[in-house]
Amino acid sequence: MNEELAALCQELELSKAVQAVIQKIETSLKAIEIKPNDLQWRILANHVNEMFNRAKEGTGIPEIDGQLFSGISETSMQLAEEVVTEIGHLSPDEKYLLSIHFESAKEN
């Protein structure tokens, strides 16, 4: 994990488990040449942290119409699905919300 991202994780007081997933996301994004800016990392880290909280508490998000996300690339959706699977105990619909972070970072 790069120094800036590690500092952000410390600032946000993210658990080791959340940090591990953030690190995997960073590695995956580097491999496909997606480079989130600082604000995008902050928002993504907070989202992943909330996903962990929902998984731990057994709470979910409202059902999402996947058709609304038909414009999201397969790459972004696949990465989001991998993260949702990694965290576990989440609604499969979480991938839709998470994929937006990856898709928007492609524009950088």
Side-chain angles (χ1 to χ4, degrees):
M1 184 180 303
N2 72 44
E3 286 183 27
E4 292 171 355
L5 194 51
L8 175 64
C9 289
Q10 278 192 311
E11 177 190 333
L12 298 176
E13 299 179 356
L14 301 178
S15 71
K16 295 291 183 192
V18 173
Q19 289 183 47
V21 169
I22 295 293
Q23 187 168 14
K24 287 180 183 181
I25 292 171
E26 178 190 31
T27 300
S28 295
L29 291 177
K30 278 184 183 178
I32 55 177
E33 298 181 359
I34 295 177
K35 298 173 184 163
N37 62 34
D38 292 343
L39 179 59
Q40 289 168 327
W41 271 121
R42 179 174 292 276
I43 294 168
L44 176 59
N46 278 312
H47 187 166
V48 171
N49 190 50
E50 287 305 313
M51 291 170 70
F52 266 89
N53 289 338
R54 283 192 291 277
K56 184 172 31 172
E57 296 166 3
T59 58
I61 58 172
E63 189 173 321
I64 294 175
D65 180 0
Q67 295 291 7
L68 297 172
F69 297 83
S70 61
I72 301 292
S73 70
E74 187 176 325
T75 304
S76 294
M77 195 62 73
Q78 182 178 350
L79 177 55
E81 201 166 344
E82 289 171 10
V83 172
V84 169
T85 300
E86 171 84 18
I87 294 171
H89 307 290
L90 291 168
S91 163
D93 288 348
E94 290 270 6
K95 69 182 175 194
Y96 297 118
L97 299 177
L98 187 59
S99 69
I100 295 170
H101 296 286
F102 308 138
E103 197 68 17
S104 66
K106 287 170 67 175
E107 304 297 319
N108 295 344

